[in-house]
Amino acid sequence: MNIIDVLLTDTLPQAQGYFRTLTFDFFIRLGINLISAFVLIRFIYVPVYKNRDLLFTYLIFNLIIFFICFVLNQVEMSMGAAFGLFAVFSMLRYRTEDISIRDMTYLFLVIAIGLLNSVSDGQWETLLVLNGIIVGFTWLLETPTLRKREAYHNIMYEHIELITPEKRADLIADLQTRTGLKIHKVAVQKIDFLRDSVALRIYYYE
């Protein structure tokens, strides 16, 4: 018996045993998870915030969290370890990208949906109800009747002398005159003293 036969003899029964866990229930959970995450991001997040940049990231995060938690759920894991794993995933962010609290909230939602659908002991009917509540309540909170839709633009601004706190009112007034938008908040992103310019993020309600 050569080494390949030995490896196949040792690993094939384990692989067969593992793949037998991919039952119809697994694919039902996977389908519910993907549909819920897709509806949440594609039909709620993207239309409201007009931002497709994170569509790929959110869906991949959701899918990977689902698979990782499903695999880990096959072994005995304490509640503390599961909670710690969830906390680590929920705190992940790209260090080279400035992610807003709103974007982090949606990241938290897709992680929570993936975790819920992979480790919950409930039947698929229960998962449908729970996912429906999450997606439906998010949609309800994003409707204009419950909250104003805040949008933002990143701009380069040359009047660097107006970025001091005591001249904030003059800064907003000048930006409103130039953009025609009713700006209620301005955040300084980056200051370039060599070019006498500053990168600003202006916030306004649509």
Side-chain angles (χ1 to χ4, degrees):
M1 180 179 294
N2 57 35
I3 188 170
I4 296 179
D5 294 332
V6 173
L7 290 175
L8 289 177
T9 302
D10 292 339
T11 60
L12 188 58
Q14 298 177 4
Q16 291 175 341
Y18 178 76
F19 283 109
R20 279 198 294 267
T21 63
L22 300 182
T23 60
F24 180 72
D25 178 70
F26 166 80
F27 292 103
I28 289 291
R29 289 172 177 268
L30 178 61
I32 294 174
N33 174 71
L34 291 177
I35 292 173
S36 300
F38 184 78
V39 170
L40 177 70
I41 301 306
R42 178 61 183 85
F43 296 105
I44 298 178
Y45 173 79
V46 172
V48 171
Y49 298 106
K50 307 296 188 298
N51 183 11
R52 293 176 178 266
D53 295 341
L54 295 177
L55 177 63
F56 172 82
T57 301
Y58 286 149
L59 294 180
I60 290 298
F61 251 101
N62 171 263
L63 186 62
I64 295 302
I65 294 299
F66 178 88
F67 284 143
I68 290 177
C69 293
F70 176 81
V71 172
L72 292 180
N73 196 41
Q74 305 305 307
V75 299
E76 185 175 353
M77 184 169 55
S78 67
M79 182 62 69
F83 181 79
L85 178 66
F86 175 71
V88 169
F89 283 136
S90 65
M91 292 300 292
L92 288 176
R93 61 175 299 169
Y94 294 106
R95 300 184 65 88
T96 58
E97 186 74 17
D98 183 18
I99 301 180
S100 66
I101 297 298
R102 174 202 66 209
D103 294 335
M104 286 296 294
T105 300
Y106 275 91
L107 178 60
F108 176 84
L109 284 175
V110 297
I111 290 175
I113 288 175
L115 182 63
L116 172 68
N117 291 313
S118 61
V119 302
S120 174
D121 293 331
Q123 299 298 319
W124 64 269
E125 298 92 342
T126 304
L127 293 178
L128 279 176
V129 172
L130 294 177
N131 283 268
I133 292 174
I134 294 174
V135 174
F137 192 68
T138 303
W139 172 82
L140 185 64
L141 291 176
E142 292 287 12
T143 56
T145 56
L146 292 183
R147 69 180 295 271
K148 296 180 179 179
R149 294 183 181 179
E150 186 182 59
Y152 66 85
H153 283 308
N154 294 324
I155 64 173
M156 294 300 298
Y157 189 68
E158 75 278 10
H159 294 313
I160 196 172
E161 69 277 1
L162 294 180
I163 66 172
T164 57
E166 59 271 13
K167 295 183 179 180
R168 184 55 56 93
D170 296 333
L171 172 64
I172 293 178
D174 184 50
L175 290 171
Q176 290 184 152
T177 301
R178 294 187 177 202
T179 62
L181 301 172
K182 189 172 179 58
I183 300 169
H184 67 276
K185 184 172 62 175
V186 177
V188 176
Q189 302 294 309
K190 183 179 179 181
I191 302 176
D192 189 343
F193 288 107
L194 293 178
R195 299 181 180 179
D196 285 335
S197 62
V198 57
L200 299 177
R201 176 170 291 181
I202 58 175
Y203 295 85
Y204 60 95
Y205 292 117
E206 294 182 335

